[in-house]
């Protein structure tokens, strides 16, 4: 049987759920990866003593992003729906998700990271939303980034499509800290700040901290999903950008 795209383990005597993206080197956030993450979260959400989640990745890169093939017109509605459901499940999960990032963390991969709590990044990390280079935009990041960074920094990343290195990401508030071993740093943060606490207290504090945000994100994702499918995907350039990427040729924009 094929191995799961996500490795799931309970650590710290069941206090920590560790989810590892296990499709290196790209760790593409495709339908199978999204379904595996969603299932692992659903399966462990009711564990009473769970106090944190560590989300990390095998290989040199966290994720190159979502599957471009799944962005094509026939597949993108289902892809957006499942990705956005995963993001809401992460935001509503009863324990904080600590994210450890190495190498590339792009597109849908960064959107998944943004749905976590704190992001710890290695010095070689590169974080970005390159969607505009393909003639599209990033619905989840459009909603989530302004909760992490100021509005101008969010628009910089969403419009330029550029990647920022770990230090710049840290200075704009996108990542918590830059450390040689981000998974070890996330575990150290868990051990210092979450492990000694009541899981019930953490669960209620997290729900309280996120209540207004979750409502706004749910509405925002629904609105932008419609915008993406009904308006963006009816443009010539969105289809050209995706097709050109898959064909490995430069896109030819007609601005319509």
């Amino acid at each position: 049987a094929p191995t799961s795209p996500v490795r799931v383990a309970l650590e710290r005597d069941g206090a920590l759920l560790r989810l590892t993206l296990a499709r290196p080197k790209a760790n593409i956030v495709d339908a199978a990866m999204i379904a595996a993450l969603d299932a692992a979260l659903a399966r462990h959400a009711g564990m009473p003593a769970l106090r944190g989640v560590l989300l990390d990745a095998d290989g040199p890169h966290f994720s190159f992003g979502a599957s471009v093939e799944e962005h094509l017109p026939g597949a993108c509605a289902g892809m957006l729906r499942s990705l956005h459901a995963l993001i809401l499940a992460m935001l509503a999960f009863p324990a904080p998700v600590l994210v450890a990032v190495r190498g590339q963390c792009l597109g849908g991969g960064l959107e998944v990271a943004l749905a976590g709590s704190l992001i710890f990044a290695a010095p070689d990390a590169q974080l970005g939303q390159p969607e505009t280079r393909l003639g599209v935009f990033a619905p989840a990041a459009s909603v989530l980034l302004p909760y992490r960074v100021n509005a101008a920094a969010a628009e910089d990343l969403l419009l330029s499509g550029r990647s920022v290195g770990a230090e710049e990401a840290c200075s704009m508030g996108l990542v918590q800290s830059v450390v040689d071993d981000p998974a070890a740093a996330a575990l150290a943060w868990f051990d210092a700040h979450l492990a000694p606490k009541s899981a019930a207290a953490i669960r209620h504090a997290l729900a309280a901290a996120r209540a207004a945000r979750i409502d706004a994100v749910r509405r925002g994702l629904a609105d932008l999903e419609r915008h993406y499918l009904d308006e963006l995907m009816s443009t010539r350039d969105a289809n050209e950008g995706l097709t050109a990427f898959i064909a490995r040729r430069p896109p030819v924009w007609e601005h319509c």
Side-chain angles (χ1 to χ4, degrees):
T3 54
S4 169
V6 177
R7 200 166 60 254
V8 180
L10 282 169
E11 300 184 0
R12 304 296 201 263
D13 295 322
L16 179 84
L17 172 64
R18 188 166 188 160
L19 303 176
T20 303
L21 307 185
R23 286 276 187 271
K25 73 176 185 181
N27 288 317
I28 294 293
V29 179
D30 58 7
M33 181 80 81
I34 292 167
L37 286 169
D38 208 40
L41 291 170
R43 200 161 62 244
H44 294 89
M47 291 185 59
L50 194 68
R51 306 198 276 292
V53 181
L54 172 60
L55 176 61
D56 63 355
D58 284 342
H61 302 288
F62 183 78
S63 173
F64 287 1
S67 158
V68 175
E69 287 76 11
E70 290 177 10
H71 277 73
L72 292 172
C76 65
M79 181 274 301
L80 285 180
R81 202 172 301 121
S82 62
L83 177 61
H84 294 168
L86 170 64
I87 280 164
L88 288 168
M90 289 176 66
L91 288 171
F93 195 75
V97 179
L98 308 178
V99 186
V101 170
R102 296 180 172 284
Q104 303 289 327
C105 178
L106 303 175
L110 180 52
E111 289 179 314
V112 169
L114 290 170
S117 191
L118 307 178
I119 301 174
F120 299 83
D124 71 342
Q126 292 283 329
L127 302 94
Q129 297 291 162
E131 284 81 356
T132 50
R133 298 180 181 197
L134 276 65
V136 296
F137 71 90
S142 300
V143 179
L144 295 172
L145 264 174
Y147 288 101
R148 295 248 170 203
V149 302
N150 66 37
E155 288 192 6
D156 172 356
L157 294 173
L158 292 164
L159 297 174
S160 71
R162 73 188 181 95
S163 293
V164 291
E167 293 294 349
E168 185 177 0
C170 193
S171 69
M172 61 169 64
L174 184 55
V175 308
Q176 175 81 358
S177 59
V178 182
V179 283
D180 286 334
D181 188 337
L187 288 170
W189 198 92
F190 173 86
D191 290 338
H193 301 297
L194 299 177
K197 306 226 168 39
S198 156
I202 290 168
R203 186 164 64 247
H204 289 288
L206 189 61
R210 290 192 174 167
R213 184 182 1 163
I214 289 175
D215 283 345
V217 169
R218 185 178 289 112
R219 286 195 306 273
L221 289 175
D223 289 346
L224 291 185
E225 217 169 280
R226 281 194 295 273
H227 183 142
Y228 192 101
L229 297 171
D230 299 345
E231 299 179 44
L232 172 79
M233 289 311 293
S234 65
T235 66
R236 181 240 170 235
D237 281 357
N239 294 282
E240 161 65 10
L242 295 167
T243 307
F245 180 88
I246 290 167
R248 299 173 184 257
R249 63 172 174 79
V252 180
W253 304 129
E254 291 179 10
H255 312 295
C256 59

